[in-house]
Amino acid sequence: MIEHKYSISLVSQGDHRFYTLTIPSEVLAKTCFVSTRDDNPTDGFQRLLDEKRAQSIADYIDNGMGTIPTAIVLSAQNEAELEIISKGKTVKFKEHPKAFLVLDGQHRVYGFSKAKSSVRVPVVIYNGLNRRDESRIFIDINTQQKPVPNELLFDIKNLAEYETDLEQQLREIFDLFHSDSQSSLLGLTSPAKKSRIKISRVTFNSSFKPITKNFGNKDAYEIYEICNSYISSFIKGMRVHDIEGSITNSTVFRAIIAIFPHVAQRTKDRYSNYTQDAFSEILSPLFSKIKVTKITSPGSSYKDLAGYLIECMKTDFTL
């Protein structure tokens, strides 16, 4: 059986000791598994992990510019026959498909196994853990680590030059709503974090993304001007019922934006422009029929609320 040897450093944290080192990605692929309950380590990967996510990691590595410096956390199993040699400076272990249980970094290991390129991967190895300790460390890692909010990721994508054309357009529109002195949402938006009393960039993007196709080749400022007039007219109608504060509720906001194409079509047909007054005229039947509780207690389905709002806009036909 093939043996591998790598230089290590010993680290002590609390009651635990572990070793840090780097291991080639192809060696990790041959020695790691993800579930102590599965007899087949290869099939275990395929059943327990997300194939698409792993492939994206493999593609990221193979493009030649990928870097994933976060350490894989492993627990040495009996099959590894792990030994510390050379006066504590080197680790030796056998190449066995169940040598190491992955405690953190399952998708990275699976992605490395699918990549064509070989990379050196930072690794942490615990040795001598029982199943209870392995389970506790797994739970600690997956509950104590807090992911970066999506709001912040959207906010810094521009700096990383990772934006798509659509993401750039949505960012520019959001930033106008956030900072323009004439914005109907001035003071009601939160660019980099989630807020219960403000509209986050994530909510804004998910609301506007489906309707961007309706604007054709209009630039961000033109879209902002039209939508600002629309939202202003909606807030004006809500104010009559003293419910304008609900505009920042994610369900309400998404529903309002979802019906925009329906409202804009009627506005264009009747007035040939998109001013606040024109939108207000089209929305007037809605606010004469709307039930306040539908806005103050909207539930979680923006599509249901959008359907209700469209129903409220219907007027009786007269000659």
Side-chain angles (χ1 to χ4, degrees):
M1 187 173 290
I2 299 173
E3 285 189 342
H4 297 279
K5 297 179 182 179
Y6 303 101
S7 298
I8 57 171
S9 295
L10 174 64
V11 179
S12 296
Q13 286 185 349
D15 294 332
H16 290 290
R17 289 151 49 97
F18 54 82
Y19 302 98
T20 61
L21 62 155
T22 62
I23 297 178
S25 53
E26 67 271 17
V27 175
L28 285 176
K30 296 174 182 177
T31 57
C32 295
F33 69 110
V34 299
S35 174
T36 57
R37 295 178 174 86
D38 202 298
D39 292 331
N40 187 324
T42 301
D43 291 343
F45 266 123
Q46 294 170 349
R47 282 201 296 272
L48 295 174
L49 302 181
D50 185 333
E51 181 82 20
K52 185 177 180 180
R53 182 178 171 190
Q55 187 60 56
S56 70
I57 293 172
D59 295 340
Y60 178 65
I61 294 298
D62 284 336
N63 70 18
M65 302 197 49
T67 176
I68 305 178
T70 310
I72 306 295
V73 182
L74 307 176
S75 175
Q77 306 297 294
N78 292 334
E79 289 83 352
E81 297 184 29
L82 187 141
E83 292 183 50
I84 307 302
I85 59 176
S86 302
K87 298 182 179 180
K89 296 181 179 180
T90 303
V91 66
K92 178 176 72 173
F93 59 85
K94 297 290 180 63
E95 185 178 295
H96 189 283
K98 301 193 82 170
F100 300 106
L101 172 66
V102 185
L103 300 181
D104 187 54
Q106 294 94 327
H107 281 94
R108 278 168 283 155
V109 173
Y110 191 20
F112 292 144
S113 74
K114 296 171 72 64
K116 299 174 183 177
S117 308
S118 173
V119 293
R120 295 286 295 207
V121 182
V123 174
V124 167
I125 296 180
Y126 286 91
N127 190 32
L129 297 180
N130 56 35
R131 288 291 177 257
R132 184 201 66 177
D133 291 335
E134 289 175 342
S135 300
R136 287 183 175 180
I137 291 174
F138 178 86
I139 291 171
D140 289 346
I141 290 172
N142 286 280
T143 57
Q144 298 302 320
Q145 294 185 46
K146 188 175 182 180
V148 174
N150 287 329
E151 288 78 8
L152 178 58
L153 293 177
F154 274 124
D155 200 36
I156 65 174
K157 267 192 169 184
N158 176 45
L159 298 176
E161 298 181 3
Y162 271 175
E163 284 182 320
T164 63
D165 290 342
L166 177 57
E167 287 173 339
Q168 178 182 346
Q169 184 183 57
L170 291 172
R171 174 178 55 80
E172 292 172 353
I173 298 168
F174 179 92
D175 289 346
L176 285 166
F177 273 109
H178 180 68
S179 60
D180 187 73
S181 61
Q182 302 301 312
S183 170
S184 56
L185 299 177
L186 192 64
L188 300 178
T189 52
S190 178
K193 62 182 180 180
K194 191 173 183 178
S195 172
R196 290 187 299 173
I197 59 173
K198 293 186 177 183
I199 298 166
S200 72
R201 198 179 289 272
V202 170
T203 296
F204 185 91
N205 284 12
S206 61
S207 301
F208 271 79
K209 187 176 180 180
I211 69 167
T212 52
K213 62 181 181 293
N214 297 101
F215 293 99
N217 294 323
K218 288 181 171 58
D219 62 28
Y221 190 77
E222 290 176 297
I223 297 172
Y224 161 71
E225 284 195 311
I226 294 171
C227 291
N228 192 43
S229 294
Y230 168 66
I231 295 173
S232 293
S233 67
F234 216 102
I235 292 176
K236 179 181 177 182
M238 296 172 75
R239 192 173 291 123
V240 173
H241 299 280
D242 197 27
I243 55 174
E244 67 271 23
S246 295
I247 190 72
T248 58
N249 178 283
S250 60
T251 302
V252 173
F253 187 76
R254 292 193 70 180
I256 290 171
I257 302 305
I259 70 168
F260 169 80
H262 183 84
V263 179
Q265 182 64 62
R266 289 191 175 194
T267 305
K268 181 181 180 182
D269 291 344
R270 185 179 299 183
Y271 298 103
S272 300
N273 63 60
Y274 300 109
T275 64
Q276 181 179 336
D277 289 341
F279 279 124
S280 293
E281 284 295 320
I282 297 299
L283 290 171
S284 59
L286 185 157
F287 289 107
S288 67
K289 297 178 182 179
I290 196 169
K291 292 181 180 179
V292 169
T293 54
K294 287 287 188 177
I295 300 298
T296 56
S297 302
S300 59
S301 174
Y302 80 91
K303 291 183 179 179
D304 288 348
L305 180 57
Y308 170 76
L309 296 177
I310 289 175
E311 283 296 316
C312 288
M313 288 181 61
K314 292 182 179 179
T315 56
D316 295 330
F317 173 76
T318 57
L319 291 175

